[in-house]
Amino acid sequence: MATPLKRIKLRHAARSSSDSVSSGSQPSGANEAGCRFVEGAVLRITMENFLTYDYTVVHPGPNLNMVIGANGTGKSSIVCAICLSLAGKTTILERDDKIGGYVKQGCDRGFVEIELFKSSGNIIINREIHVATNQSVWRLNGKTCNQKTVEEEVKALQIQVNNLCQFMPQEKVGQFAKMSKIELLEATEKSVGPPQLFQYHCELKNFRNKDREMENVIKEKTSYLEKSKQRYERNKLDETRYYEKKRHLDVIELIEKKTPWVEYETTRKELEGVKKERDEAKRELSVLKKSQLPMMTKIQAIEEQLKPSDTQMKTKSAAIKEASLKCKQKQDQLDRLFKEIEDIKQAFKMKQTEEEDQRKRIINVKLMIEDLKVGLAEIENQPDVTPRISEVNAELRHIQLEKSKVEEEKANLCREKNNLVAEMRMLEKKLRDMNNMMMVKEEKLRGRHRDTHTALQWLRQNRHLFSGNVYEPLMLVINMKDHRFAKYMENHIAFNDLRAFVFQRKDDMANFMKEVRDNMNLRVNAIIAPRETCSRMTPSRHIESLRRFGFFTYLRETFDAPDEVMSYLCHQYKVHEIPIGNEQTEAMITTVIQEPYIKVMYTNDQKYTIKKSFYSNITATKNTTVYPPKYLGITVDTEQKMQLEQQMKICQSRVRDIDEQLHQLQKEASALDRRENELLTEKKTLLELKGKKRQLEQKISNKQDRLRELEQSGIDLKKIEAETKEKISAVNSKKTSIVTALLAQMKLRAKLTMEKVYLALEMVALLAEKTKLTNICRESTSALKEISDKCSRLDEKTVLLKQQCKEILKKAKSICRMKPDEALPQHLHHAFTKLPDTLDELEVMLNEERSRAECFPGLSNKVVEECKKREQEIRELEQELAEKNAAFTAFRQKMSQAKENWLNPLKQLLEQINDKFSDFFHAIKCAGEVDLHFENEEEYDKYGINIRVKFHESSQLHELTQFHQSGGERSVSTMLYLMALQELNRCPFRVVDEINQGMDPINERRVYDILVSTACKEQTSQYFFITPKLLKNLSYVDNMTFVCIQNGPRMLAANKWVEEAFYRRVRRKKQTQARLRP
């Protein structure tokens, strides 16, 4: 039997209550029992015009506070009041994103006030909310302040309303399992760890980042130092090579200075030798000129004798040339006459051949005439073919008429087929456009949730594995009739359901989830359609009865979907009961929300959720903004698509019929063509037979005419022969006269030739004597010329050498930086003695030194400077690297100490949590453990808490996630983890709202017992457990406090409530029941 309630605190306020609490209220009397409250515990919560309350004051107890009440009475309103009064953000509650939305409807302002226990003096925080400005006015202990001051005060009391390990509102219960290991560790550190534990963790993460930076800097510096040393070694080698090159360059410079002096001396000696050679050549030239004079006189006399003979030779040659030309002309004339005679003879032969050919043609024509006459006689004995030709022509005309009919019918069918093909292309384009719109929706699904898209591809390839209907995600199979209504569907259906697959059979869903979730490790959702269809459910009220409020349709009427999908949406989301209104509805919203049967409705841009308390019949309304659609806005008219597909089938069927008709017509046309060809062949044969007689007669006539022409055009050979002889005789006469003239010219040419020969003999004797004298003279002239040229060359060379000597001397003094009248310095003379004295040797030595110097390319004085600079840089780098290594070592020691300060207490803390967590799970006959998770011991930002649980004997421990465990299992795990934190908790209080809703009765009872035993211990923090119901026959302890929410218009006012009277009625009721019991 249940233990009676030991301690109950109730605070109620009627809606008409006029009581008020000022924002500067004095601390309550809870300090008298302050020793039982921990620092920061909640002593009092006051709400005025806040959500469902006009005015209410709640006094919680120091340990476990069970807040009980029916749905809609205002349990979660107390949670909202705690959060908002402690400067929590509205996003934590996920009820309304505007602070003004928490003021009771119809009021322009409201306030919440919370009193927190503090040993030095309680803290009262008051938050006044103004709807018009959507702003808050803060007061701390009666003094106006800003929100930051309140946040600092709350933080100082270690209150964290944004930490799920401390504050878990109703809307956040499911998010605990969604927390990552890292987030869970941070939340646990903040909630139950020492104050500096989370600070150490943050410092370690910063230290690790700085450690990486310092390590990278040291590596970079070390690498740079090694490279600098390598560059220094190379520079040092270059420096040695530079000095070696400089030594060679100095020798080259000395050789270049001596070379012009050696050139000067060589040129001067050469000039003296040239002068002596020039004087000797001039003496030889004078002797040769005196000995050559007598022979030159004889040569001139012979040349005078040769001049007349030369003139006569030229005259004779011209006359001989002229006579030869005339002979050639006469010879050409003779050749032409010979050619003319040959042509005359050839023409006569051709006439003879022509006469023979004509005689043969006459004989052939006569024979052909005889043959044609024989053929004509044979044809005249055959019958007449004209009647048969007429019959064939008549049948051909009939065939042409039939063919024209077939072609016309084929043309009509082709035109019809072309029109149908064009229509099919248009229909295909429209269907393709509709399918492309579906592809856009699919791409959006892939971009938002890739796992679901991967599972979709698997389903399309493996549909044969399922026995029942399986539908793709709702967002793909739902088709809005009008895109304007898409926003209502997306705001009404949870995204997890929009991306969920719909199954007709449970075994199909189990197989699907096993494959994609367990084997493929994909995060997907699946739902089962109701066993009995709900797709045809009718709304409780006809839409016509709601048109006066501006409603024009129900949500179900705005979209199309398969039967199972529609059944699920009607069953789960009541889409057949959700009306959609317009501006008129928005204007009459106060009246509309009073209408029965309307739970949820939509206007243009707002969604209204209306809840009525089962106990108080109070109406609570929540409105949220309807956001634009992201997925369902792409609509396809299903009826139009079905019509297009039906039209496509009709067109395809008609095209097939037309093809068959065309094939049959083609057969008929082919048969007509074959018959027409046969008749044409027959007609051609008959026409040829009929026209053959006429053709033979015409041919005989033509051949006779040809015979007469040949006989009349005969050739007279005798006459032609006489004419030929006369022509040849005339040509021979011309030949005789030309031959006579040719002989005369040939005699004249021979005479002139003889005279020329005699004259040439005379000239040869004179020329021989002249040649003899010339040869003698030429020998002496050659020697004379040679000596003369030699003298000229020597004169020129002398002048040139003088000039070269001057230039070389000037150049030598310039290279040695000497004045024009200055003698060679002694140090240069001494240095020159160590070098070769000839130009060849100097050139060889210069080339050798240059070759050695060229072995050191790219070297300059900068090499020496660079080497010194590198040396200084290396010293600085070594010093800097030593300092950084020392600093890095000290930093590592500091980080190691910080790691010990953080990790050791953390491990101890997690061991305590694990012990409690494991004990709690063992108490409910399950298994669970908590451990520290990390992959790399040095990656402090990757540390996390790993929770693993097992609810069945046959299964293994599995990590707590939002996918693997059921909703009830996640609730139990979450609750037990929070209980494990309870005794270690350094936070003043913990709030958990309706976490037991998904638990089965057995686990709920076990968790309740653990909660009571843990939260009701001495020196533990305050605990708020909000629930709409409790199981029967539960155990209760003295430290529990029950806050019963009985909010409604017909409830007893708080100031009229008498606890003793209530207890008396309860005792009388029990006594009456005991008497009536047999």
Side-chain angles (χ1 to χ4, degrees):
M1 186 174 178
T3 305
L5 298 177
K6 299 296 183 180
R7 181 171 181 268
I8 301 177
K9 290 190 176 182
L10 303 173
R11 293 294 183 270
H12 302 282
R15 293 184 181 273
S16 60
S17 174
S18 60
D19 297 339
S20 63
V21 178
S22 66
S23 60
S25 302
Q26 295 299 320
S28 67
N31 276 347
E32 298 172 2
C35 58
R36 298 185 58 193
F37 286 90
V38 297
E39 289 280 328
V42 178
L43 299 177
R44 174 177 56 85
I45 305 167
T46 302
M47 297 169 283
E48 181 178 344
N49 296 332
F50 186 77
L51 291 176
T52 59
Y53 295 106
D54 291 328
Y55 177 81
T56 298
V57 180
V58 179
H59 292 280
N63 297 108
L64 177 60
N65 293 273
M66 302 291 291
V67 182
I68 306 172
N71 289 331
T73 56
K75 302 184 302 301
S76 297
S77 299
I78 296 176
V79 177
C80 296
I82 295 173
C83 176
L84 296 179
S85 61
L86 295 175
K89 299 184 181 298
T90 56
T91 54
I92 299 173
L93 302 172
E94 292 188 356
R95 289 173 67 103
D96 199 317
D97 53 351
K98 297 179 180 179
I99 188 64
Y102 290 88
V103 176
K104 188 174 182 179
Q105 191 171 2
C107 301
D108 56 355
R109 73 176 187 87
F111 81 83
V112 288
E113 185 175 86
I114 190 167
E115 182 176 355
L116 304 176
F117 174 76
K118 192 173 183 182
S119 56
S120 59
N122 294 347
I123 296 174
I124 299 176
I125 301 172
N126 181 285
R127 183 175 189 173
E128 185 175 326
I129 305 169
H130 295 269
V131 177
T133 60
N134 202 40
Q135 299 292 329
S136 300
V137 177
W138 294 89
R139 293 182 179 86
L140 183 62
N141 291 331
K143 296 180 181 179
T144 303
C145 62
N146 55 25
Q147 183 173 341
K148 187 170 182 61
T149 304
V150 175
E151 290 175 352
E152 292 174 352
E153 192 69 33
V154 170
K155 183 178 179 181
L157 294 173
Q158 300 178 359
I159 298 173
Q160 305 163 15
V161 292
N162 59 345
N163 188 341
L164 290 182
C165 290
Q166 179 178 348
F167 192 88
M168 189 179 295
Q170 181 178 353
E171 288 76 8
K172 294 281 188 177
V173 170
Q175 292 190 10
F176 184 85
K178 299 180 183 179
M179 293 176 67
S180 66
K181 300 179 180 67
I182 299 171
E183 292 172 341
L184 184 58
L185 174 62
E186 293 180 354
T188 304
E189 287 176 335
K190 294 176 184 178
S191 178
V192 299
Q196 67 275 15
L197 186 63
F198 181 68
Q199 182 180 355
Y200 283 150
H201 191 184
C202 294
E203 288 179 357
L204 270 177
K205 288 190 281 188
N206 295 331
F207 283 166
R208 178 55 180 161
N209 293 333
K210 188 176 179 181
D211 178 72
R212 289 195 196 97
E213 293 175 1
M214 294 178 70
E215 189 175 3
N216 291 334
V217 169
I218 290 174
K219 286 181 180 178
E220 291 174 0
K221 292 290 184 182
T222 305
S223 175
Y224 185 71
L225 177 60
E226 291 299 324
K227 292 178 181 178
S228 296
K229 288 182 177 180
Q230 293 173 5
R231 286 195 292 269
Y232 174 73
E233 292 298 328
R234 291 195 296 270
N235 290 340
K236 194 69 177 176
L237 181 60
D238 289 343
E239 182 183 22
T240 304
R241 294 170 67 240
Y242 168 74
Y243 286 120
E244 181 70 16
K245 179 180 180 180
K246 191 172 184 303
R247 185 179 63 79
H248 291 298
L249 292 176
D250 292 341
V251 174
I252 290 171
E253 183 181 3
L254 191 60
I255 292 172
E256 289 175 347
K257 286 181 178 180
K258 183 175 181 180
T259 298
W261 289 101
V262 175
E263 288 178 355
Y264 170 74
E265 187 63 26
T266 303
T267 305
R268 186 182 63 78
K269 290 179 179 179
E270 185 181 358
L271 176 61
E272 292 177 355
V274 168
K275 285 181 179 180
K276 290 180 181 179
E277 188 178 357
R278 182 192 62 182
D279 295 341
E280 185 65 26
K282 285 183 177 181
R283 284 194 297 272
E284 291 178 3
L285 181 62
S286 177
V287 172
L288 285 173
K289 283 182 178 180
K290 290 178 181 180
S291 63
Q292 197 179 14
L293 185 60
M295 287 186 290
M296 294 300 295
T297 303
K298 290 181 180 181
I299 290 171
Q300 288 176 357
I302 292 171
E303 287 178 349
E304 291 296 330
Q305 292 177 7
L306 285 173
K307 286 181 180 178
S309 298
D310 186 49
T311 303
Q312 291 178 8
M313 283 291 291
K314 290 179 180 179
T315 303
K316 297 295 182 181
S317 296
I320 291 169
K321 184 176 181 181
E322 184 179 356
S324 298
L325 182 60
K326 288 180 179 180
C327 287
K328 186 177 183 307
Q329 290 174 352
K330 294 300 180 180
Q331 186 64 46
D332 292 341
Q333 290 176 2
L334 282 174
D335 293 339
R336 286 195 294 273
L337 290 175
F338 279 117
K339 181 69 171 60
E340 187 176 352
I341 291 171
E342 290 295 325
D343 292 341
I344 293 169
K345 291 179 179 180
Q346 185 66 30
F348 179 69
K349 289 180 181 179
M350 290 178 64
K351 287 294 182 180
Q352 288 177 333
T353 305
E354 185 178 351
E355 192 271 338
E356 181 67 22
D357 292 340
Q358 188 173 5
R359 186 169 57 81
K360 290 180 181 179
R361 284 197 294 273
I362 290 171
I363 294 170
N364 291 332
V365 170
K366 287 180 179 180
L367 291 173
M368 292 174 66
I369 291 172
E370 292 298 327
D371 293 337
L372 290 172
K373 286 180 179 180
V374 172
L376 181 61
E378 293 176 355
I379 292 173
E380 287 177 349
N381 296 327
Q382 294 181 358
D384 188 13
V385 296
T386 304
R388 179 57 185 163
I389 292 174
S390 299
E391 293 175 1
V392 171
N393 287 334
E395 189 173 355
L396 284 171
R397 285 193 295 274
H398 177 70
I399 289 174
Q400 289 293 334
L401 183 60
E402 291 296 326
K403 284 179 64 177
S404 58
K405 289 181 180 179
V406 171
E407 291 297 328
E408 182 178 0
E409 190 172 353
K410 284 174 64 178
N412 292 335
L413 289 173
C414 288
R415 280 195 297 273
E416 185 179 357
K417 181 180 178 181
N418 292 335
N419 293 335
L420 288 172
V421 170
E423 185 177 357
M424 287 170 62
R425 289 198 190 99
M426 180 183 67
L427 293 174
E428 286 177 356
K429 182 178 182 302
K430 290 182 179 179
L431 288 172
R432 188 165 55 251
D433 292 341
M434 290 182 177
N435 292 331
N436 289 339
M437 294 172 72
M438 295 300 296
M439 289 298 294
V440 172
K441 293 172 70 174
E442 189 174 329
E443 284 299 317
K444 286 191 175 183
L445 173 64
R446 184 166 68 128
R448 177 69 184 273
H449 206 280
R450 188 173 294 273
D451 284 0
T452 302
H453 185 267
T454 304
L456 172 64
Q457 300 303 317
W458 181 89
L459 173 63
R460 290 176 176 174
Q461 297 173 4
N462 298 276
R463 281 189 181 273
H464 61 279
L465 301 177
F466 305 100
S467 56
N469 292 333
V470 181
Y471 295 99
E472 296 179 357
L474 292 183
M475 63 181 294
L476 298 181
V477 299
I478 292 176
N479 181 54
M480 303 303 300
K481 296 179 180 179
D482 191 330
H483 66 89
R484 293 176 299 173
F485 301 126
K487 59 183 180 180
Y488 303 130
M489 282 297 291
E490 284 196 24
N491 281 270
H492 192 67
I493 301 175
F495 178 72
N496 285 339
D497 277 356
L498 279 177
R499 64 180 180 87
F501 296 84
V502 182
F503 290 83
Q504 186 183 23
R505 297 170 59 93
K506 288 185 178 180
D507 54 345
D508 286 343
M509 185 174 75
N511 294 334
F512 175 79
M513 297 303 286
K514 180 179 180 181
E515 177 64 29
V516 300
R517 180 178 289 179
D518 297 339
N519 297 343
M520 299 174 65
N521 198 25
L522 299 177
R523 296 186 301 168
V524 298
N525 289 349
I527 53 181
I528 187 76
R531 181 173 299 177
E532 295 183 3
T533 181
C534 302
S535 60
R536 296 175 181 82
M537 294 178 65
T538 58
S540 56
R541 296 183 64 180
H542 196 275
I543 192 63
E544 294 299 328
S545 64
L546 299 176
R547 288 193 183 276
R548 57 195 177 93
F549 299 118
F551 295 110
F552 55 89
T553 188
Y554 283 103
L555 187 58
R556 184 180 64 179
E557 309 304 324
T558 63
F559 68 94
D560 293 320
D563 188 71
E564 284 83 354
V565 176
M566 184 68 78
S567 177
Y568 173 78
L569 294 176
C570 290
H571 178 267
Q572 183 68 22
Y573 289 97
K574 309 297 181 186
V575 293
H576 62 290
E577 295 282 4
I578 310 300
I580 300 175
N582 52 25
E583 295 86 353
Q584 180 183 353
T585 310
E586 192 74 37
M588 302 174 63
I589 193 64
T590 306
T591 305
V592 173
I593 61 178
Q594 301 299 328
E595 284 292 312
Y597 307 112
I598 297 180
K599 306 297 181 185
V600 180
M601 62 180 177
Y602 287 92
T603 61
N604 283 345
D605 298 311
Q606 295 290 323
K607 173 185 178 182
Y608 289 89
T609 304
I610 304 166
K611 293 183 180 179
K612 294 184 179 180
S613 173
F614 179 77
Y615 303 97
S616 63
N617 203 29
I618 295 175
T619 300
T621 305
K622 175 185 177 183
N623 65 305
T624 55
T625 302
V626 177
Y627 296 102
K630 296 181 180 178
Y631 310 102
L632 300 180
I634 302 172
T635 61
V636 176
D637 192 335
T638 308
E639 293 183 359
Q640 183 185 3
K641 185 177 180 182
M642 294 175 61
Q643 291 176 0
L644 292 175
E645 291 173 347
Q646 187 64 28
Q647 292 177 15
M648 176 65 77
K649 291 179 181 178
I650 294 172
C651 290
Q652 290 172 347
S653 175
R654 180 57 185 154
V655 167
R656 286 194 295 271
D657 294 341
I658 290 174
D659 288 338
E660 292 177 0
Q661 295 178 18
L662 286 173
H663 183 65
Q664 187 64 32
L665 290 174
Q666 186 62 38
K667 288 183 178 179
E668 295 178 6
S670 300
L672 291 172
D673 287 338
R674 285 195 299 272
R675 180 59 183 160
E676 184 181 27
N677 291 334
E678 293 173 356
L679 292 173
L680 288 173
T681 304
E682 183 181 358
K683 180 180 178 182
K684 182 180 179 182
T685 305
L686 293 172
L687 289 173
E688 288 177 353
L689 186 62
K690 181 179 179 182
K692 191 171 184 180
K693 180 180 178 182
R694 188 167 55 252
Q695 290 176 0
L696 290 174
E697 291 173 349
Q698 184 67 33
K699 287 181 180 180
I700 291 171
S701 176
N702 291 337
K703 294 299 181 182
Q704 289 175 347
D705 292 341
R706 178 61 177 163
L707 180 60
R708 285 192 291 271
E709 289 177 1
L710 290 173
E711 290 175 346
Q712 291 174 2
S713 60
I715 299 173
D716 189 357
L717 284 177
K718 294 180 179 180
K719 181 179 178 181
I720 293 173
E721 185 178 1
E723 291 176 353
T724 301
K725 289 180 179 180
E726 288 178 1
K727 290 178 181 179
I728 292 173
S729 178
V731 173
N732 287 334
S733 298
K734 292 180 181 179
K735 284 171 63 178
T736 304
S737 61
I738 291 171
V739 168
T740 305
L742 176 61
L743 291 173
Q745 289 297 327
M746 291 177 68
K747 289 178 181 179
L748 176 61
R749 186 177 62 180
K751 179 183 177 182
L752 291 172
T753 302
M754 291 302 293
E755 292 176 354
K756 182 180 178 181
V757 169
Y758 292 143
L759 187 60
L761 291 173
E762 293 177 0
M763 290 180 68
V764 165
L766 292 173
L767 285 171
E769 184 179 359
K770 179 184 176 183
T771 300
K772 180 180 179 182
L773 293 172
T774 301
N775 289 337
I776 296 170
C777 186
R778 185 180 294 116
E779 291 176 0
S780 60
T781 303
S782 176
L784 180 65
K785 185 178 180 182
E786 184 179 352
I787 294 172
S788 178
D789 292 342
K790 183 178 179 180
C791 290
S792 300
R793 288 196 303 274
L794 291 173
D795 287 338
E796 293 175 358
K797 191 173 182 180
T798 302
V799 175
L800 181 62
L801 289 173
K802 286 181 179 179
Q803 184 65 27
Q804 287 179 354
C805 284
K806 292 180 181 179
E807 291 177 356
I808 291 171
L809 181 62
K810 183 178 179 182
K811 177 182 176 182
K813 290 186 176 183
S814 175
I815 291 174
C816 296
R817 298 182 181 85
M818 296 170 54
K819 296 180 180 179
D821 55 349
E822 185 181 357
L824 185 67
Q826 189 65 30
H827 70 280
L828 284 178
H829 185 273
H830 179 71
F832 287 167
T833 57
K834 297 179 181 179
L835 298 174
D837 294 328
T838 64
L839 289 174
D840 293 339
E841 292 176 345
L842 283 173
E843 185 176 0
V844 170
M845 186 175 182
L846 178 62
N847 291 334
E848 183 179 350
E849 293 296 327
R850 282 178 176 170
S851 298
R852 292 176 178 174
E854 287 174 356
C855 293
F856 308 97
L859 298 176
S860 64
N861 190 37
K862 291 183 179 179
V863 173
V864 179
E865 297 175 0
E866 184 70 18
C867 190
K868 293 180 180 177
K869 181 180 177 182
R870 292 289 180 195
E871 188 175 1
Q872 178 64 25
E873 184 181 7
I874 288 171
R875 285 196 297 271
E876 294 175 355
L877 280 174
E878 288 176 343
Q879 182 178 357
E880 182 181 0
L881 189 58
E883 294 174 356
K884 288 189 177 296
N885 279 323
F888 184 60
T889 303
F891 178 77
R892 276 287 178 92
Q893 293 175 353
K894 183 178 179 181
M895 187 170 70
S896 177
Q897 182 62 40
K899 179 180 178 181
E900 292 180 3
N901 293 338
W902 171 70
L903 192 56
N904 292 337
L906 178 62
K907 288 181 178 179
Q908 295 174 3
L909 178 65
L910 290 182
E911 286 177 4
Q912 296 175 13
I913 295 173
N914 181 49
D915 293 340
K916 291 291 184 182
F917 190 73
S918 300
D919 292 343
F920 291 156
F921 261 86
H922 182 70
I924 63 173
K925 299 181 181 180
C926 298
E929 64 179 27
V930 177
D931 59 9
L932 186 63
H933 172 80
F934 58 87
E935 296 176 358
N936 184 351
E937 191 175 352
E938 300 300 325
E939 298 295 334
Y940 303 110
D941 54 345
K942 299 297 192 309
Y943 274 72
I945 290 179
N946 188 23
I947 300 177
R948 297 190 298 163
V949 295
K950 180 179 75 171
F951 287 89
H952 307 285
E953 289 291 338
S954 59
S955 63
Q956 300 293 326
L957 285 169
H958 287 285
E959 182 181 346
L960 179 64
T961 65
Q962 59 175 321
F963 305 107
H964 197 278
Q965 289 80 18
S966 66
E969 291 172 346
R970 292 198 299 269
S971 297
V972 170
S973 302
T974 302
M975 193 67 190
L976 294 183
Y977 184 79
L978 296 179
M979 288 297 97
L981 302 182
Q982 180 66 15
E983 293 185 7
L984 306 172
N985 206 348
R986 63 182 179 85
C987 62
F989 62 86
R990 176 172 285 107
V991 176
V992 179
D993 190 356
E994 295 192 15
I995 198 172
N996 59 333
Q997 291 303 295
M999 299 182 191
D1000 59 84
I1002 297 174
N1003 282 332
E1004 184 176 357
R1005 185 177 298 277
R1006 291 172 177 172
V1007 170
Y1008 172 82
D1009 292 339
I1010 294 173
L1011 173 64
V1012 171
S1013 63
T1014 303
C1016 292
K1017 292 180 180 180
E1018 296 294 335
Q1019 302 301 322
T1020 187
S1021 59
Q1022 196 176 33
Y1023 205 102
F1024 290 87
F1025 187 83
I1026 290 87
T1027 179
K1029 47 87 178 179
L1030 287 174
L1031 298 175
K1032 296 180 179 180
N1033 300 323
L1034 294 176
S1035 300
Y1036 303 98
V1037 297
D1038 292 339
N1039 290 343
M1040 293 176 64
T1041 300
F1042 281 80
V1043 179
C1044 297
I1045 309 298
Q1046 308 245 358
N1047 191 14
R1050 290 180 293 276
M1051 297 303 298
L1052 188 66
N1055 55 2
K1056 296 181 181 179
W1057 176 262
V1058 180
E1059 293 182 12
E1060 292 299 329
F1062 173 74
Y1063 293 146
R1064 286 196 298 271
R1065 286 195 297 272
V1066 171
R1067 285 193 290 270
R1068 284 198 302 270
K1069 184 176 181 181
K1070 288 183 177 180
Q1071 291 171 1
T1072 303
Q1073 291 175 350
R1075 286 196 301 271
L1076 294 176
R1077 190 178 297 114

